Amino acid sequence: MAPTRRSLAALRPAAAGVAAFAILAIEACAGRKPAPAPPEHPPAEATPTPRPGAELPIPPAPPATGEETVTLTGVVTYRQRSALTPEAVVQVDLRDVSRADADAPPLARQIIERPGQVPIAFSLSCAKAAIEPGHAYAVSARITDRGQLQFVTDTRVPVLSGGLPGPIEIVVVPVR
């Protein structure tokens, strides 16, 4: 007896279930946990992934406290073809790097939870009085995922020399 369209249509849901089971079995045999199912509705705070060539949204600067501030904006990105998980956290710091022998505390820091995918927009603000003439300043970034460091800045990204720069690009590299 030849299969009919109706009998083939009845087999499709069963075939999908068998395929899903086969994928789970292969993942288990490889010693890996299967990827979690994507949420039905993305979290309200999730940053949408921009289309290539599209303008990136810049996070709002912190509210003014009555003193003059310096604001630096830019993006954090990486070259690897991998996606961040919803548990990823991005940290961007502005530091005075004038003294090579001292690890200066950050002048500004932004922590971005659930950043979405790269490029990830950031905005750092600090008091203008904290910026000393003749000093060198740099921004850095790190990306952690489920508490594990995944990406870091491995080269100095200088800022604030010769006036306020345009948008900044911080390229992070995988931790080895």
Side-chain angles (χ1 to χ4, degrees):
M1 176 172 151
T4 65
R5 283 188 186 190
R6 181 173 286 165
S7 65
L8 289 176
L11 289 176
R12 282 190 185 130
V18 170
F21 180 75
I23 290 171
L24 288 173
I26 291 169
E27 291 288 328
C29 289
R32 297 185 303 224
K33 292 184 179 177
E40 289 184 26
H41 302 289
E45 309 88 42
T47 304
T49 303
R51 295 181 320 278
E55 291 254 345
L56 291 172
I58 300 297
T65 59
E67 61 183 317
E68 287 189 60
T69 60
V70 174
T71 301
L72 302 170
T73 59
V75 295
V76 175
T77 191
Y78 54 81
R79 307 283 184 233
Q80 286 66 29
R81 297 177 67 93
S82 62
L84 296 174
T85 70
E87 292 86 16
V89 176
V90 177
Q91 176 181 310
V92 184
D93 289 336
L94 168 65
R95 295 180 188 265
D96 182 341
V97 293
S98 300
R99 293 184 48 195
D101 63 337
D103 188 24
L107 296 171
R109 173 174 283 167
Q110 182 180 16
I111 296 176
I112 306 164
E113 296 181 359
R114 289 186 256 33
Q117 301 305 319
V118 295
I120 301 159
F122 70 87
S123 178
L124 295 172
S125 293
C126 74
K128 194 170 191 175
I131 306 300
E132 297 183 39
H135 280 224
Y137 297 91
V139 291
S140 62
R142 57 191 289 139
I143 301 175
T144 57
D145 187 0
R146 292 176 239 153
Q148 296 291 316
L149 185 61
Q150 299 293 318
F151 294 91
V152 295
T153 308
D154 72 341
T155 57
R156 183 176 284 189
V157 182
V159 294
L160 298 175
S161 57
L164 294 176
I168 302 161
E169 181 181 43
I170 303 173
V171 179
V172 293
V173 297
V175 173
R176 298 186 203 311

